[in-house]
Amino acid sequence: MEQLSKYSSRRRLLAAAMVAVATGFVVLPAHAAEPRPVKMLLDWILNGPNSGFVVAREKGFYKEAGLDVSIEQGKGSGSTAQLIASKVADFGFSDGFVVTNGISKGMDVKVVAGIFRRNPTAVIVLKDSGINSPKDLEGKTIGIATGAAQFQQWPAFVGGCKLDSSKIKVVNIDPAGYVASLVAGQLNGVAGFAQGMVPTVEVRANKEASIFWYADCGITAVSNGIIAHSDYVKANPQVVKDFVRASLRGFLYARANPDETTDIIKKFQPNAVPAISKREMAISWTNWVTPNTANKPLGWMSEQDWAATIETAKNFGGMTGHLTTAQIYTNEFVPTEAEFIPPQN
């Protein structure tokens, strides 16, 4: 069984040269350079939303760019960001709200391409619960993991949706118990990343879910993108450009070919459920585009969105001190061709 942590194979040079009997000459391959080794760290386990990287690897997009990319699973955006800041890996996939807080505390990383440019945080309820709008959450009990981005942004959600916080009971819950508690009726709703929770509710528990997006109540927080250490970006601009381009091709290919992508995920994550992977991808696509990034290539990030993310982090994430958008991100390495503009819905 192939393991994702070993998902790396070197392009081999053609061993050999052709010997022409008549002349005695040795003809060497035209391209003799070895591909550039690159280490990439996911935000979490391989799943639908982050599958663009393994698709780029499997379809040969990295190879075409002259890169030999090894991909390892992560243990959360915060952990991935810290490891990139420590130069343990070359590239990472991490949440922008988390990265913003990290940079404000001295973390020297840069976001070089945005994928989930819209805030994917939401309150999830069962469709048959009678909760049909955020206002219906009043008088209900909501589970949120204390310290999570969803918990930090909760006051903004309540304010933006014009809810009475005194009428909503919020309880701390381990994310591992979200779905079970919701389906069992122990909670009326849970707050988290919808693309990771809703498919489990719908596929494993066979229940319909409703999503109340934080973004719909005015909470802007740029989410997952490709990050690298600032030193690496400065020293390897062509590698960064090539990696970003090939990775974006992977995400766009996955969107155009979801069935093939679920097969690729299954190849490297044998316990993955194709129906869940496919639904995860579909929900994640709704967070690719914001009003400020409409009709822009995937990867391109809006200064307005990042400025609003800084404000969200200051007001609700405990961030202190001054931070500029230029310290967080750059669009320098994002391709500009029309073929990189994703569907707008």
Side-chain angles (χ1 to χ4, degrees), residues 16 53 65 96 115-116 130 166 170 176 179 211 221 294 298 327 329 342 345:
F53 299 104
I115 305 297
F116 307 143
S166 68
V170 176
V179 173
I211 304 172
L298 185 63
Q327 290 174 269
Y329 85 102
N345 54 9

Side-chain angles (χ1 to χ4, degrees), residues 7 9 11 51-65 67 71 246-247 249-257 259-265 267-268:
Y7 187 36
S9 60
R11 181 195 300 165
S51 60
F53 299 104
V54 292
V55 170
R57 186 70 172 80
E58 184 75 359
K59 299 304 295 184
F61 301 153
Y62 291 134
K63 183 177 180 181
E64 291 173 18
L67 303 176
I71 303 173
S247 298
R249 288 182 66 192
F251 277 92
L252 291 165
Y253 186 93
R255 181 161 185 169
N257 302 275
D259 290 327
E260 182 183 354
T261 299
T262 60
D263 290 340
I264 292 173
I265 294 171
K267 178 179 178 181
F268 296 98

